Structure formats: C-alpha cells, structure tokens
C-alpha cells in the first residue's frame, strides 16, 4: 500500500504525519509526505519520500515578513487563501500518482479530498484538537479575521456561521479547480474537507472528544514520533550544573515582543535557571549570565522530564509532549487551538495560563502557581496516563480500511 500524507502549516501540523509515516514504514508500507518545503530535509533524513507543497513558512514567525503583512488585511488573506488552494491542486495530483489512499492533516488542506476523489482512492481527514471539529459541546476555533457574526449565539448557530464562512472563503476557488478535474461543485466545503468520519489524533486524557455531533469521530490518540536523539553536551552540562531549570519556548509561531526579558526575569525571581528555545522567531538571551542557555532544535522527550516547568504557546504537539513528560506547564496561548489546551491544562490541574501579552509580573505569578509540589505531583500522575500508541493505532486502522 502506498499512502500520501498531506498537510500545510508549521511543525505542529507536520510532525504528527511524520510520526504516522514512520510507523507505516515500519509496518512495511510505502509512504509519501506532501508538506511545506521547510520540512524536506527532516523528512528525507528519516527516509520519507517528500513532495514540497506551497512556500516556505519559517518567515511567518517574523513580524515584517511579506506573508505576515499580507495576512493583516481581508484582501491579503483572501488572495493568500486562493493562491494556497491553487498551489495544492497544482502539486497534489502528481504527488498522489500511484497512491492507494490520501490522509489529509490540517483543516486548510482544501484540495486533498478532491484529489483523492479524482484519483478514485479513499481519503481520510485527521484533526489534532477536538475543537476543530463541529460539536454542540464547544464553539468553533477562531481564525484570523473570522469573527463570528454574533459572538453570544448558541454553539449550533456559531457552527452554521462557521460553515458559511468556509463556503465564502474557499467555495469559489475550490469549485473552479474541481471543474478543471471534471468534478462536480461542492455545497459544503467544511464537510467536504472533514468528511463524516474524521480521525482525531489527540490524547484522550489531555484532549477528549465530546459530542454530541453529527460526525462519527475516531479518536486514535496522539501521533507521537519517537525521538532517540541525545541532548547536546552543552545542554547536558547545563542541566547537570544545578537544579532543574524552567524551559521557555514558542515553537514555530511568532513570539510576543520583549518576551525574552520577561521570561528570564520571571524565572530569576524564583531563583530558577532558564533554557530558552530560539524557535522560528529567533529568541535570544538578554545577558551573558551563566544561569541561562539558549538552544535550537531539541529532543523534547529527553529534555522535558528534566526541567522544573515548561512555559510554551499551547500548541498540540508541545502540550502533549510536556503532559507526557509529567512536568507542570504555563501556557501563553495566541490563537486557534491554543486557548483550548490552556483550559485543559488548568482543568487537569497540571498548570496554568496567561491571557493577553505576558509580562515579567504575570509570568512570575504563573510560575509561583506551578512550581509547587502538589502541581508537580499531579503533572506526574497525569503524564503516566498519556498513551503513546496513537500512530500505531492509526496506521493499523488505515491498513485495515484500505
């Protein structure tokens, strides 16, 4: 069986599919990954066949990038959305050549289902967070520029409004490209992308699916990529030189202004050392004191169990990694699914979150909440409940279905 895995987005959207690809290859299946070119070297280093999709995204973490500026206006967002869909239809038909099934990750992977339909092969959609799928239990997540018509409306009304916005945003360009392939128009773009039986690649403890919903959701568990890379000698020496430090990182997203100064000041207020993950924003230290270390790409599975707390943006992948490591968390959510994970961390008693722009004062207060023995104990307890077999469940389900 040859599987095409396709996604757009940053590392949080790509890594779960890399985890699934790795497990499928271990089970003897042929896999091709279609994703932004930022991840080509990584995928090919793991032996995964790679097809670049769309432009490089690393620059989006910079406030002065052309893509960031274009996203600031409704016209710019619409032009980017249409160009994105056109690029998907130009790239994916060739990528799907010889494939037996298409798995689409990330909601904005608009073309994947249509390409599978054109090829006459099955298609599966997967979400990484429960609130991205329609349910009466929760509201739709917020997209940039997508304010609800009536924010106080009931959830069914908000989801109906959300479906209208999907049609307004992508219906025209989707139907135009489908016509080129000889396919009929789509009445419900969101339903077309999600299907009636989507998969949910999220841990059932951290992010449980809750209905009622018209969808038949298959929750597989989080797709976790096993990481056996050693920590660098510099990082090992830093960890061994004192008490567990506080980790700060915002992954692939743009970090708030002046965040490094606030982070380091908050940790020092508690007498804690600091590890700063540079990320795509390129965070840096504020001085040369030996209590701080800036790092690049790192094995979170090896690092997180050795820190006192993880302060991060609330992406699905980082939150799952920190929860699995059994370490307290402070979330600084910015958009989309991040507020949901901030709420879940609070509900589970394994950390807290900060609303709005973080400051040294708010971070200091948040750390005082999570650097308590009872929070650390609760985090260890919940961490022991996180399952790590989601990618295997999904791989075997896919093999059985195709």
């Amino acid at each position: 069986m040859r599987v095409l895995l396709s996604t757009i987005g940053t590392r949080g959207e790509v890594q779960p599919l890399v985890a699934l690809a790795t497990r499928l290859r271990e089970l003897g299946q042929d896999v091709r990954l279609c994703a932004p070119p930022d991840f080509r070297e990584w995928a090919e280093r793991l032996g995964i066949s790679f097809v670049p999709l769309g432009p490089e995204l690393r620059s989006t973490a910079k406030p002065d990038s052309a893509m960031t500026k274009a996203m600031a206006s409704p016209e710019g967002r619409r032009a980017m959305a249409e160009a994105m869909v056109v690029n998907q239809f130009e790239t994916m038909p060739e990528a799907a050549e010889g494939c037996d099934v298409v798995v689409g990750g990330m909601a904005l992977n608009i073309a994947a289902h249509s390409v599978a339909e054109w090829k006459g092969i099955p298609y599966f959609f997967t979400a990484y967070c429960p609130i991205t799928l329609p349910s009466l239990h929760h509201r739709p997540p917020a997209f940039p520029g997508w304010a609800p018509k009536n924010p106080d409306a009931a959830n069914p009304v908000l989801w109906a409004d959300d479906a209208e916005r999907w049609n307004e945003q992508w219906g025209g360009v989707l139907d135009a490209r489908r016509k080129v392939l000889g396919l009929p128009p789509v009445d419900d773009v969101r339903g077309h992308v999600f299907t009636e039986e989507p998969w949910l690649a999220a841990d059932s403890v951290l992010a449980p699916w809750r209905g009622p919903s018209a969808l038949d959701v298959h929750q597989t568990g989080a797709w976790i990529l096993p990481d056996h890379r050693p920590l660098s000698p510099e990082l090992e020496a830093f960890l061994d030189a004192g008490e567990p430090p506080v980790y700060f990182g915002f992954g692939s997203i743009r970090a708030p202004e002046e965040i490094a100064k606030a982070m380091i000041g908050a940790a020092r207020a508690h007498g804690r050392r600091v590890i700063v993950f540079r990320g795509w924003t390129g965070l840096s230290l504020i001085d040369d004191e030996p209590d701080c270390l800036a790092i690049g790409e790192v094995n979170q599975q090896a690092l997180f169990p050795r820190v006192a707390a993880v302060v991060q943006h609330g992406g699905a992948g980082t939150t799952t990694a920190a929860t699995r490591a059994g370490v307290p968390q402070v979330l600084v959510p910015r958009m989309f699914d991040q507020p949901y994970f901030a709420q879940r961390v609070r509900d589970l008693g394994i950390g807290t979150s900060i609303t709005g722009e973080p400051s040294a004062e708010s971070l200091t207060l948040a750390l005082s909440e999570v650097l308590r023995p009872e929070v650390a104990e609760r985090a260890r307890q919940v961490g022991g409940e996180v399952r790590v077999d989601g990618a295997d469940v999904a791989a075997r389900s896919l093999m059985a279905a195709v």
Side-chain angles (χ1 to χ4, degrees), residues 144 190 293 327 340:
R190 189 186 68 196
L293 178 68
V327 61
Y340 166 83

Side-chain angles (χ1 to χ4, degrees), residues 168-250:
E168 292 170 3
Q169 184 75 48
W170 290 292
V173 65
L174 173 61
D175 286 343
R177 303 306 298 188
R178 284 175 60 85
K179 185 177 181 180
V180 173
L181 297 179
L183 299 174
V186 170
D187 294 330
D188 175 11
V189 176
R190 189 186 68 196
H192 170 75
V193 172
F194 289 178
T195 77
E196 295 180 351
E197 299 179 346
W199 289 4
L200 175 57
D203 183 73
S204 59
V205 172
L206 176 62
W209 170 249
R210 299 178 68 180
S213 171
L215 303 178
D216 182 10
V217 176
H218 176 43
Q219 184 161 15
T220 63
W223 299 353
I224 299 172
L225 178 66
D227 196 341
H228 306 293
R229 293 173 297 164
L231 302 179
S232 70
E234 181 185 28
L235 180 52
E236 284 282 5
F238 183 81
L239 290 168
D240 291 340
E243 293 297 313
V246 175
Y247 169 94
F248 291 92
F250 288 85

Side-chain angles (χ1 to χ4, degrees), residues 110-128:
I110 305 296
H113 193 175
S114 295
V115 170
E117 184 181 345
W118 180 61
K119 291 288 187 180
I121 58 178
Y123 160 81
F124 295 88
F125 171 77
T126 184
Y128 306 138

